[in-house]
Amino acid sequence: MEKADLWIRNAKVYNSYRKEFFEADVSVKDGKFFYIDREKSTEFDAVKEIDADGKYMIPGMIDIHMHIESSMMTPGPFGRYMASCGVTTIVSEPHEMANVRGIRGVHEMICAAEEAPIDIYYGIPSSVPSTSSRLETTGGVIDCEAMKCLLKEKDVVCVGEIMNYRKIIEEGNQLEITKFLEYLREEKPGYVVEGHCPSLTGLELAKFLYLGIDGDHTEHTLEEVRQRIENGMFFEIQEKMLKPEILDYIVSNNLYEHVSFVTDDTMADALYEKGHLNKVAEQAVRMGFPVEQAIYCATFTPARRMQFYDRGSIAPGKLADFQLLENLEVMEPSLVYKCGVEIYHRNSAEEPKSSYEFPEDFYHSVCLPEITKNNFQIPANGKKALVRAICVQESCTQTKEVQIEMPVKDGYLHWQESGCMLAMVIERYGKNGNIGYGFLTGDCCRAGTVATTYYHDHHNLLVAGHKPEDMLLAVQRLEKLQGGFLVVNEGEILAELALPVCGILNEGSVENIGRAVKKIRGKMNSLGYKHLNPIMSFGTLGLPVSPALKLTDRGLIDVKAGEIVPLFVK
């Protein structure tokens, strides 16, 4: 009788090479699949035996483009929750942490991931800061030498998304990532490089691809998707790209080899209530994507994209990463294994708390200049002034510029009666004490104050509100919490989430963080913020690579021009 560590009997086993299910028994030795027995004729003397009882056995899912920090969770608890979603491998790009703590932040994320039951790999942050120190102040910088250093880490497997996509295609640019790509072409040809290039087409897209950046996950029209795939770019499909015309194009042209599903940014409340990569694949199936191909694009194609040749299929010699599903319409596993070891059972007890501790200074990252009521007054000349305002749009995180006339009284803007929210970005790393001023209009709050240190990508402190008293209260509270996200109205804190790890992460469970995030979202909506994801919308108002007008500690940024523009219109 053959020996094995694990023997799974009576399963409907997914074959990645045929993209079909076959009834079979599966044996595991030393953490790897040994024999997929379609005849079910071989008996095994196994340490553990599982009767799958006709359940569907598929590989562990692999998410190759995501950001742990988007969940506001730390790697250990995040990885444990991934196991419950059937996800056994992820590639996270930690540029949020890198913006706060530089290369030390990346190293700590790698160390913190060691307690996770799944494999957590990382991409090298390639855009820290996302633009330059002229446009934003960050806590850390990842330059070419830092990228070379990270390249040596065993859990680093790719270059993370290159966000400064228009600048990098300019001939003669001096970007640090340009220098690093030149280094890779000499030292590591073929190394995986992830892109971020919304709207690039034609010659501009060709220039981007010519640099060796051959993956993209951003939102596109059908024509943009067509150009990417036809030019050899691997296309990563996140939830907002699950559009009928996109899926139909892939299905009708049999383009499964060139795509995979990813999650990119998923907040804790969505994780807790919906799931993760499993739900992206499930949604695609509901929209007509063949289920066998959906499994393929959530397991095999992402593994191949990241050169993970040891996983992504149930075959002899591959890592025994798998899950059992009761049906294929609802991709919620009853059992998940990693390298032949159980990491999730639907009936298991509550998950353990994180035991990893970050360095002490990671819990003390909010160092503000002194803020008083006077900081909420903006000097102005004359009786009226024309100002630039950021118009929040309900349907996306992109903004647009509008110009609004405001009265001037006693030498200051009388903004409180303008209908706009005063927005202030306060540099929080103790480097220069900058305060950038702007105004919000459009689909934003009609009352109250919102404030956060979770402010992409530089993560300075943003406070926006209608009353200086509430705004000051919010700033003082965030300083006390050493980071967080909160909503205030009429002197009362309506909802808050502390983010004490570098001002962007909480060490709690997905359930507790998710509940807090949901409450913040609800309070923002109740105060008039119109958006499917108001937290993400608010948190990206300072991202100076996302059109059109954004606010950093340096001031208002015209994203297309890549320049600081004055608050007052001459």
Side-chain angles (χ1 to χ4, degrees):
M1 183 179 291
E2 294 283 344
K3 292 189 177 294
D5 298 316
L6 179 65
W7 190 25
I8 305 99
R9 299 173 55 247
N10 303 316
K12 296 185 180 76
V13 181
Y14 180 74
N15 184 279
S16 301
Y17 310 100
R18 291 281 300 276
K19 304 182 188 69
E20 292 181 273
F21 283 94
F22 302 109
E23 291 189 6
D25 295 342
V26 179
S27 54
V28 174
K29 284 186 178 182
D30 299 322
K32 298 178 181 180
F33 294 116
F34 177 62
Y35 183 39
I36 291 75
D37 181 10
R38 290 178 61 181
E39 284 73 33
K40 298 196 287 187
S41 59
T42 304
E43 293 287 323
F44 278 87
D45 178 13
V47 176
K48 184 174 182 179
E49 181 179 328
I50 297 172
D51 185 354
D53 193 26
K55 293 184 178 68
Y56 297 91
M57 182 177 180
I58 70 172
M61 291 186 176
I62 301 171
D63 188 350
I64 60 170
H65 187 96
M66 52 82 61
H67 309 277
I68 292 174
E69 298 101 313
S70 295
S71 69
M72 303 181 188
M73 299 174 67
T74 52
F78 185 87
R80 285 192 288 274
Y81 186 71
M82 288 300 95
S84 72
C85 299
V87 178
T88 53
T89 301
I90 62 173
V91 180
S92 179
E93 204 269 72
H95 68 258
E96 312 295 357
M97 180 61 82
N99 270 277
V100 181
R101 278 290 182 263
I103 195 169
R104 281 187 65 220
V106 179
H107 282 140
E108 288 301 324
M109 291 294 281
I110 293 172
C111 292
E114 291 177 358
E115 70 172 15
I118 69 168
D119 282 336
I120 297 179
Y121 295 101
Y122 289 97
I124 298 171
S126 59
S127 304
V128 180
S130 65
T131 52
S132 70
S133 59
R134 182 174 61 86
L135 301 183
E136 54 186 315
T137 302
T138 57
V141 173
I142 303 291
D143 58 15
C144 181
E145 291 305 312
M147 293 180 208
K148 289 180 184 178
C149 183
L150 289 171
L151 191 62
K152 301 173 185 177
E153 293 281 346
K154 67 179 179 65
D155 292 328
V156 169
V157 296
C158 69
V159 177
E161 61 180 304
I162 296 175
M163 299 179 67
N164 208 347
Y165 58 98
R166 292 199 177 275
K167 185 69 175 178
I168 200 172
I169 62 175
E170 292 179 6
E171 191 170 344
N173 74 76
Q174 295 300 309
L175 294 175
E176 293 297 307
I177 182 58
T178 297
K179 300 173 188 175
F180 186 57
L181 291 181
E182 292 172 354
Y183 172 81
L184 286 179
R185 281 193 285 273
E186 293 293 326
E187 301 297 327
K188 284 208 167 191
Y191 196 71
V192 178
V193 182
E194 289 287 275
H196 170 116
C197 55
S199 76
L200 283 192
T201 57
L203 179 59
E204 289 183 326
L205 178 61
K207 289 179 178 179
F208 195 72
L209 283 160
Y210 188 79
L211 296 171
I213 313 166
D214 60 353
D216 187 24
H217 66 284
T218 51
E219 189 170 4
H220 297 286
T221 64
L222 175 58
E223 173 60 19
E224 289 168 357
V225 172
R226 184 190 66 77
Q227 287 196 29
R228 277 150 181 75
I229 294 177
E230 290 183 4
N231 282 282
M233 183 173 250
F234 190 81
F235 188 63
E236 297 155 4
I237 307 168
Q238 55 176 298
E239 185 176 18
K240 62 185 176 183
M241 280 304 293
L242 294 177
K243 302 175 181 179
E245 67 272 21
I246 303 296
L247 297 183
D248 181 66
Y249 172 70
I250 293 167
V251 172
S252 60
N253 291 283
N254 195 29
L255 297 171
Y256 308 107
E257 304 294 327
H258 309 288
V259 303
S260 74
F261 297 117
V262 297
T263 60
D264 195 16
D265 298 297
T266 308
M267 305 202 76
D269 57 339
L271 279 176
Y272 182 66
E273 293 180 352
K274 298 179 182 179
H276 194 247
L277 190 65
N278 56 329
K279 293 302 175 179
V280 180
E282 184 182 304
Q283 174 67 13
V285 172
R286 282 200 295 270
M287 296 177 68
F289 210 84
V291 65
E292 292 85 359
Q293 302 290 1
I295 294 168
Y296 189 69
C297 293
T299 57
F300 190 82
T301 61
R304 190 171 54 189
R305 164 66 182 165
M306 283 295 154
Q307 300 174 3
F308 294 151
Y309 301 123
D310 61 350
R311 68 195 72 194
S313 63
I314 298 173
K318 304 296 184 183
L319 294 182
D321 298 354
F322 68 90
Q323 55 185 305
L324 295 181
L325 303 174
E326 292 178 359
N327 67 72
L328 299 178
E329 294 179 359
V330 180
M331 295 187 184
E332 295 177 358
S334 57
L335 196 64
V336 181
Y337 271 67
K338 179 81 185 77
C339 295
V341 177
E342 181 184 308
I343 60 172
Y344 172 75
H345 192 292
R346 184 178 292 168
N347 300 321
S348 62
E350 185 178 349
E351 65 180 37
K353 293 183 179 180
S354 175
S355 61
Y356 186 81
E357 291 188 5
F358 288 85
E360 184 63 25
D361 64 301
F362 279 49
Y363 298 96
H364 302 282
S365 67
V366 179
C367 182
L368 302 179
E370 184 179 0
I371 302 296
T372 68
K373 283 188 179 181
N374 292 334
N375 291 110
F376 304 96
Q377 294 182 319
I378 302 175
N381 298 319
K383 294 183 178 181
K384 294 182 179 180
L386 190 64
V387 302
R388 289 182 172 85
I390 297 171
C391 184
V392 177
Q393 300 185 88
E394 179 180 3
S395 60
C396 63
T397 56
Q398 295 184 3
T399 65
K400 59 183 179 180
E401 177 183 325
V402 297
Q403 297 179 1
I404 296 177
E405 189 175 75
M406 294 185 181
V408 177
K409 294 183 180 181
D410 301 322
Y412 294 97
L413 275 181
H414 198 65
W415 58 268
Q416 291 92 329
E417 296 178 6
S418 67
C420 294
M421 300 177 80
L422 172 63
M424 296 167 53
V425 177
I426 306 169
E427 187 272 320
R428 60 106 161 176
Y429 300 109
K431 290 187 172 184
N432 52 44
N434 287 344
I435 300 178
Y437 289 90
F439 291 97
L440 304 183
T441 187
D443 296 318
C444 57
C445 293
R446 298 288 177 249
T449 288
V450 183
T452 187
T453 51
Y454 190 88
Y455 191 48
H456 292 277
D457 281 341
H458 44 83
H459 297 297
N460 287 299
L461 190 156
L462 168 65
V463 58
H466 291 273
K467 291 186 177 182
E469 296 82 6
D470 284 351
M471 295 175 72
L472 182 59
L473 171 61
V475 170
Q476 292 171 340
R477 179 60 177 167
L478 285 180
E479 187 171 28
K480 183 177 181 179
L481 293 174
Q482 280 299 294
F485 208 118
L486 54 83
V487 181
V488 177
N489 192 32
E490 300 296 343
E492 179 185 357
I493 297 174
L494 304 181
E496 72 175 21
L497 171 64
L499 299 172
V501 180
C502 289
I504 60 174
L505 302 180
N506 183 293
E507 294 170 295
S509 68
V510 65
E511 180 179 2
N512 290 337
I513 298 172
R515 286 176 175 172
V517 168
K518 186 175 182 178
K519 186 175 181 180
I520 291 168
R521 189 193 302 269
K523 293 300 181 182
M524 289 180 71
N525 287 146
S526 71
L527 292 173
Y529 208 109
K530 296 179 182 179
H531 202 277
L532 289 174
N533 191 340
I535 294 173
M536 182 62 71
S537 170
F538 190 78
T540 54
L541 293 175
L543 184 58
V545 293
S546 175
L549 187 67
K550 294 298 172 77
L551 180 64
T552 77
D553 67 300
R554 299 287 185 179
L556 289 168
I557 310 297
D558 180 330
V559 174
K560 186 174 181 180
E563 297 292 341
I564 299 171
V565 293
L567 175 64
F568 294 98
V569 181
K570 292 182 180 180

